[in-house]
């Protein structure tokens, strides 16, 4: 039988939500022996390697969000809340959390966003992507699927509707048919995550800002999405700052051949630049790729 893959992405509102104090308190203590597998470490590393290739900062591993991801897979496998109109983002009424039937087009997303606060001491909202296939899921299959789908790729890389978000925590889980990743904007108070059977501990280190300069005057071997050329350096820098304010956080001025071109963003590989160009909003469709 041909293998069938399914991808479920939650596109969550960026609106602030008032948190009910009773629900926001952690109801489950993370067990002392909690750990993540090497396969889960591999998935975490693949996502960060992808972000690094796009000149995006590394997202720290979150013990809390990994625990939430693991609990969700257990619930999906054991209690199967994904019935009828309820998607894989749903939670059953058989755990220490608020039951949640997550339907397509749902307006109130609190039932899913607040799961990290319900289950752990994580202080912020969570944003989830779920992968399922009809045999044991792998890190490679999940990541390959996520990076080819615009919705999941945008969430992973803070693009489009996720441009105003800054991931400071990532949790991962893989078990049987499922792979799940959670992202959060708050730093996880849990500082260490054990790797099962290895004695290794991954420390939760604050994300480092990528090396960046407003003006690029020497060849870097990267591929730049160019949108406009300005006559003077100062005016070009002002325009680049404007694009940064609009969400293109890596906008730069490229000085080459006595011209000052504006780069919306840049990539290490040409195929990544081509893919990003296709996803640009309509007003930027005239952007072109310049290797430099």
């Amino acid at each position: 039988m041909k293998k069938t893959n399914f991808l479920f992405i939650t596109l969550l509102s960026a609106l602030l939500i008032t948190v009910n104090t009773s629900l926001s308190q952690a109801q489950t203590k993370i067990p002392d022996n909690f750990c993540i597998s090497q396969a889960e470490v591999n998935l975490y590393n693949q996502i960060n390697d992808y972000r690094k290739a796009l000149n995006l900062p590394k997202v720290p591993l979150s013990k809390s969000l990994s625990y939430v991801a693991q609990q969700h897979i257990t619930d999906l496998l054991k209690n199967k809340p994904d019935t009828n109109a309820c998607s894989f983002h749903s939670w059953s009424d058989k755990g220490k959390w608020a039951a949640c039937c997550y339907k397509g087009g749902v307006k109130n997303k609190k039932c899913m966003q607040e799961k990290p606060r319900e289950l752990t001491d994580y202080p912020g909202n969570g944003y989830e992507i779920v992968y399922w296939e009809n045999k044991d899921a792998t890190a490679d299959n999940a990541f390959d699927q996520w990076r080819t789908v615009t919705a999941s790729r945008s969430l992973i890389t803070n693009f489009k509707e996720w441009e105003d978000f800054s991931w400071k925590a990532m949790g991962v889980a893989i078990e049987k048919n499922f792979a799940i990743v959670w992202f959060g904007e708050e730093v996880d108070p849990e500082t260490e995550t054990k790797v099962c059977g290895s004695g290794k501990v991954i420390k939760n280190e604050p994300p480092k800002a990528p090396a960046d300069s407003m003006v690029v005057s020497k060849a870097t071997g990267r591929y730049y999405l160019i949108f406009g050329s300005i006559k003077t350096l100062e005016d070009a820098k002002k325009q680049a700052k404007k694009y940064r304010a609009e969400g293109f956080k890596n906008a730069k001025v490229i000085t080459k051949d006595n011209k000052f071109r504006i780069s919306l963003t840049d990539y290490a590989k040409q195929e990544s630049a081509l893919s990003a160009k296709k996803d640009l909003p309509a007003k930027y469709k005239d952007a072109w790729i310049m290797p430099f």
Side-chain angles (χ1 to χ4, degrees):
M1 180 181 294
K2 183 178 179 181
K3 182 181 73 174
T4 303
N5 295 333
F6 291 93
L7 172 69
F8 289 81
I9 303 297
T10 300
L11 300 179
L12 298 173
S13 170
L15 294 176
L16 295 176
I17 296 175
T18 301
V19 179
N20 182 300
T21 304
S22 63
L23 285 177
S24 66
Q25 295 175 344
Q27 299 182 29
T28 303
K29 183 180 183 300
I30 300 176
D32 292 336
N33 64 350
F34 175 77
C35 60
I36 65 173
S37 68
Q38 187 57 55
E40 291 162 344
V41 174
N42 292 344
L43 178 57
Y44 168 74
N45 287 336
Q46 284 191 60
I47 291 173
N48 268 324
D49 287 345
Y50 186 55
R51 286 177 58 88
K52 182 179 179 180
L54 301 178
N55 202 31
L56 296 171
K58 179 180 180 180
V59 183
L61 179 66
S62 167
K63 178 180 179 180
S64 296
L65 295 185
S66 294
Y67 179 73
V68 174
Q70 190 179 92
Q71 289 293 294
H72 197 190
I73 290 181
T74 299
D75 187 45
L76 288 166
L77 290 170
K78 182 179 179 180
N79 301 314
K80 303 185 185 306
D82 53 305
T83 57
N84 298 322
C86 304
S87 75
F88 279 153
H89 295 303
S90 303
W91 294 69
S92 76
D93 59 358
K94 296 178 172 59
K96 296 181 179 180
W97 52 71
C100 173
C101 176
Y102 198 95
K103 302 178 181 179
V106 63
K107 294 182 179 180
N108 185 353
K109 301 175 175 66
K110 290 173 62 175
C111 72
M112 201 274 278
Q113 286 179 332
E114 293 184 350
K115 286 297 176 283
R117 287 195 294 271
E118 292 177 27
L119 291 169
T120 72
D121 288 326
Y122 186 76
N125 287 344
Y127 307 90
E128 178 187 56
I129 51 177
V130 178
Y131 171 86
W132 179 92
E133 63 177 290
N134 62 359
K135 64 177 185 178
D136 286 350
T138 67
D140 288 346
N141 287 349
F143 177 70
D144 286 345
Q145 178 76 303
W146 285 334
R147 70 177 178 177
T148 59
V149 176
T150 299
S152 54
R153 185 171 66 247
S154 296
L155 185 145
I156 289 171
T157 61
N158 296 113
F159 193 58
K160 285 191 170 182
E161 63 268 41
W162 302 100
E163 287 179 349
D164 293 331
F165 289 69
S166 178
W167 303 139
K168 294 183 176 63
M170 185 203 316
V172 293
I174 301 174
E175 185 179 352
K176 294 187 177 179
N177 309 97
F178 288 96
I180 290 180
V181 172
W182 283 76
F183 290 95
E185 290 194 281
E186 305 296 331
V187 174
D188 189 354
E190 297 284 349
T191 59
E192 296 181 344
T193 306
K194 298 176 183 176
V195 180
C196 305
S198 68
K200 182 180 178 181
V201 173
I202 299 177
K203 294 186 177 181
N204 176 4
E205 299 178 350
K208 296 180 181 179
D212 187 29
S213 173
M214 179 67 75
V215 180
V216 178
S217 57
K218 295 182 180 180
T220 62
R222 298 182 67 81
Y223 294 85
Y224 295 86
L225 282 180
I226 303 298
F227 190 72
S229 179
I230 308 294
K231 292 182 178 180
T232 69
L233 177 58
E234 288 307 311
D235 286 342
K237 290 172 69 174
K238 289 179 182 178
Q239 189 64 31
K241 288 179 180 179
K242 177 182 176 182
Y243 289 143
R244 288 190 178 193
E246 292 177 358
F248 293 96
K249 299 177 183 179
N250 292 318
K252 300 178 179 71
V253 178
I254 311 300
T255 65
K256 180 184 179 184
D257 302 328
N258 296 318
K259 295 181 180 179
F260 303 107
R261 299 180 176 93
I262 312 300
S263 166
L264 298 175
T265 187
D266 52 276
Y267 299 90
K269 297 182 179 180
Q270 185 177 24
E271 53 266 32
S272 298
L274 288 167
S275 178
K277 184 179 183 302
K278 292 178 182 178
D279 292 334
L280 285 172
K283 65 182 291 187
Y284 301 106
K285 287 301 182 182
D286 289 335
W288 56 282
I289 299 170
M290 183 183 78
F292 181 52

